[in-house]
DNA sequence: CGGAGCCTTGATACCGTTCAACTCAGGTGG
DNA sequence: CCACCTGAGTTGAACGGTATCAAGGCTCCG
């Protein structure tokens, strides 16, 4: 069998424990302890054509508290993780100890894949809230792939999806303005929340401005200023960690904000039309 | 069996055919037509513990000329590619037709993985020189993985490697200055050439300044200026596509260039010491 | 209450982009 | 053969988007 991942007492009692927000009430105090293959595939959004649910193959759950590390850089790899509930971040640490946030895994996301190649984790995963994770011992997975063709395909598919995600990330960092990056970040968060069954219009950020900035290749000040600017022209409402999405279409197509000199007009026009549609002058190429 | 990938006559006679450079003399006019599994694993730098070379499993080669597309965005996916010889680029095209370069595959590199997830290619691959590629029909691969446990592991490993590479790319784009990006690009190119058996000290770029810039999230002017600056302080020598590496250590550790006002001193000191070692004042944090 | 993070906002500096002019090499056609 | 053209590369000048530095506010918690 496999050894439990180190719960890593280094950050034990941990800094700040977030208050349970409305969105997190679905999290159960003790959670379930085992999931079968069918539940796993559903969580991963994998089409499970032929039902292999009859199998009594079970996958163990583990709970982590806010601030705990799931794995650290260099730690021997032997298992992948799927998020059953909760929010995390994965980070790279550069030669001078600076964090680079790579992703914010949440319900249904797979992580730990970077460890396969060198047999050691290339990144670190940290719980941003209390989490319930499903352990996928890698040996077990490969064995399963050998007996179930479609499951093998699913594994490749999920890894391919991760790769495409990273590629679009590279593309974004290489080409988009700060405002466009923040806008897209909000849109993707909104969509993820919708997928998970939460509100796509009103949610709480689970990460700090600093972490968002690191993820988007910006400073925390720029993130803060950009959110304020979006708030000012009515695209969103911001109050600390709480975000309200007001105009998702504008956020989706936004490339660059109009100069601040014309923002006043924007706001005025916006207030008149209230909830009118399609602000075409924002989505300019 | 599988259908040949479209040779894509769209860019047929193609714009500029590069003159055969010294580094490319190894490329054979017609190339070999088939490779076996052992050759494939060696090319991919996969440890092939138990020899399965006795198998008469053969993989077909295909040749592409400079400028031809190997696959385009949206094209149905059914095969992966391994570079046997030649140089390529993979690109994403954004909503307004702008190219975003994602990678520069060369000998031993795998590409096409992004197509697995949606069954359609998410990116486009273009030959930057005449190329000899090995076709890996995906169906064949998965079948092989089911019968050979270690080969299955190798597949996961290669995909994991790609993911880690993309992650370090994200990290670079998010955190490093223009100069550091160009320096690292040169270092990684140098190392790749060494792996392939070419000179790591003197080589030709296969891509334009524009393509390098796109890859690194910079403009072509910035790339050009940075190369000129490196040349000026003696880290490299540049003449169009030809690059000579003079001080690989400085390139590896470079984070930011000293202000141009002090470059004159730099250069003078450097000339005096000639090929002396370790320019510590360059590699400042 | 006091302290520690986190967040916001302002002023300023600077890196990289943008726009523009020019050079260079290779290819084509008169 | 040379004139011409085109795409690539270099270099300069000016602008502007973000980072940086700094001050102050908010919230939670001891």
């Amino acid at each position: 069998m496999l050894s439990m991942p180190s719960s890593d007492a280094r950050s034990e009692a941990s800094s700040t424990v977030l208050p349970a927000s409305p969105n997190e009430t679905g999290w159960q105090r003790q959670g379930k302890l085992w999931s079968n293959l069918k539940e796993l595939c559903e969580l991963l959004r994998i089409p499970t054509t032929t039902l292999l649910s009859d199998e009594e193959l079970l996958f163990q759950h583990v709970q982590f508290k806010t601030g705990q590390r799931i794995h650290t850089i260099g730690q021997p790899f032997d298992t992948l993780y799927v998020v059953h509930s909760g929010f995390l971040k994965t980070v790279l640490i550069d030669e001078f100890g600076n964090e680079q946030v790579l992703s914010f895994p949440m319900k249904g996301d797979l992580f730990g894949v970077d460890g396969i190649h060198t047999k050691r984790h290339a990144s670190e995963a940290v719980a941003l809230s209390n989490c319930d994770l499903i352990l996928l011992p890698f040996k077990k997975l490969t064995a399963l792939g050998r007996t179930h063709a479609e499951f093998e395909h699913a594994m490749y598919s999920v890894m391919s999806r991760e790769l495409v995600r990273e590629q679009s990330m590279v593309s974004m960092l290489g080409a988009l303005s700060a405002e466009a990056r923040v806008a897209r970040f909000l849109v993707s968060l909104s969509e993820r929340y919708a997928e998970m069954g939460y509100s796509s219009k009103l949610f709480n950020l689970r990460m700090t401005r600093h972490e968002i900035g690191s993820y988007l290749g910006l400073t925390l000040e720029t993130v803060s200023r950009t959110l304020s600017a979006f708030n000012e022209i009515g695209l969103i409402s911001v109050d600390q960690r709480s975000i309200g999405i007001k105009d998702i279409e504008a956020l989706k197509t936004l490339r660059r904000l109009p100069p601040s000199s014309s923002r006043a007009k924007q706001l005025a026009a916006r207030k008149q039309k209230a909830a009118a549609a399609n602000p075409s002058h924002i989505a300019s190429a």
Side-chain angles (χ1 to χ4, degrees), chain A:
Chain A
M1 212 41 192
L2 113 143
S3 59
M4 292 288 276
S6 69
S7 289
D8 194 358
R10 263 188 278 166
S11 59
E12 65 266 280
S14 175
S15 38
T16 54
V17 175
L18 294 176
S21 80
N23 283 335
E24 205 161 74
T25 50
W27 191 78
Q28 297 148 34
R29 208 77 339 236
Q30 185 48 302
K32 52 197 299 183
L33 293 178
W34 301 90
S35 282
N36 64 31
L37 193 49
K38 191 182 167 198
E39 292 167 324
L40 180 60
C41 287
E42 281 168 6
L43 200 52
L44 284 169
R45 290 153 287 170
I46 287 173
T48 165
T49 51
T50 70
L51 283 183
L52 16 71
S53 60
D54 51 335
E55 313 260 354
E56 266 322 306
L57 250 172
L58 293 180
F59 294 92
Q60 189 174 11
H61 286 231
V62 199
Q63 276 75 232
F64 288 90
K65 296 211 185 106
T66 304
Q68 284 187 317
R69 278 171 190 74
I70 285 71
H71 60 73
T72 62
I73 294 174
Q75 176 181 323
F77 160 85
D78 58 7
T79 174
L80 298 174
Y81 305 86
V82 173
V83 184
H84 182 249
S85 70
F87 298 85
L88 340 187
K89 65 173 175 180
T90 66
V91 301
L92 234 49
I93 315 281
D94 77 8
E95 51 230 302
F96 292 104
N98 302 314
E99 272 194 17
Q100 168 68 46
V101 175
L102 294 175
S103 65
F104 294 113
M106 48 192 91
K107 186 180 178 187
D109 286 336
L110 176 81
F111 68 93
V113 177
D114 54 61
I116 297 175
H117 177 230
T118 59
K119 307 244 189 219
R120 290 185 175 273
H121 284 286
S123 67
E124 177 172 309
V126 182
L128 296 179
S129 71
N130 289 344
C131 288
D132 184 47
L133 308 181
I134 305 179
L135 297 179
L136 308 184
F138 188 59
K139 289 247 161 94
K140 205 165 168 181
L141 284 190
T142 52
L144 205 57
R146 244 165 287 130
T147 55
H148 297 281
E150 71 164 358
F151 183 78
E152 184 193 35
H153 186 86
M155 284 292 298
Y156 288 128
S157 180
V158 171
M159 288 179 68
S160 171
R161 183 170 69 196
E162 283 303 299
L163 196 73
V164 171
R165 203 188 63 79
E166 291 296 328
Q167 286 179 351
S168 75
M169 207 57 211
V170 168
S171 174
M172 179 167 98
L173 293 177
L176 296 190
S177 70
E179 288 132 6
R181 293 183 209 182
V182 174
R184 294 208 177 185
F185 176 69
L186 292 174
V187 170
S188 73
L189 265 191
S190 168
E191 289 171 350
R192 285 297 274 115
Y193 274 89
E195 280 175 34
M196 295 190 297
Y198 299 137
S199 167
S200 63
K201 300 267 171 193
L202 184 61
F203 50 83
N204 286 329
L205 298 174
R206 293 324 209 291
M207 60 296 280
T208 67
R209 303 287 191 265
H210 180 76
E211 286 161 342
I212 297 173
S214 171
Y215 180 65
L216 298 176
L218 303 170
T219 60
L220 68 95
E221 292 95 330
T222 298
V223 173
S224 177
R225 266 187 260 273
T226 306
L227 290 176
S228 296
F230 287 171
N231 181 56
E232 208 176 318
I233 60 175
L235 298 186
I236 64 174
S237 62
V238 190
D239 178 38
Q240 301 289 103
R241 297 286 180 98
S242 163
I243 300 284
I245 304 287
K246 299 286 192 57
D247 188 341
I248 189 86
E249 281 311 313
L251 288 175
K252 275 181 184 165
T253 56
L254 183 143
R255 312 226 109 207
R256 185 138 287 170
L257 239 35
S260 63
S261 61
S262 66
R263 297 236 183 114
K265 294 181 199 168
Q266 284 263 342
L267 184 55
R270 207 159 246 287
K271 274 184 175 165
Q272 282 189 350
K273 302 203 289 180
N278 187 27
S280 61
H281 45 309
I282 300 232
S284 63

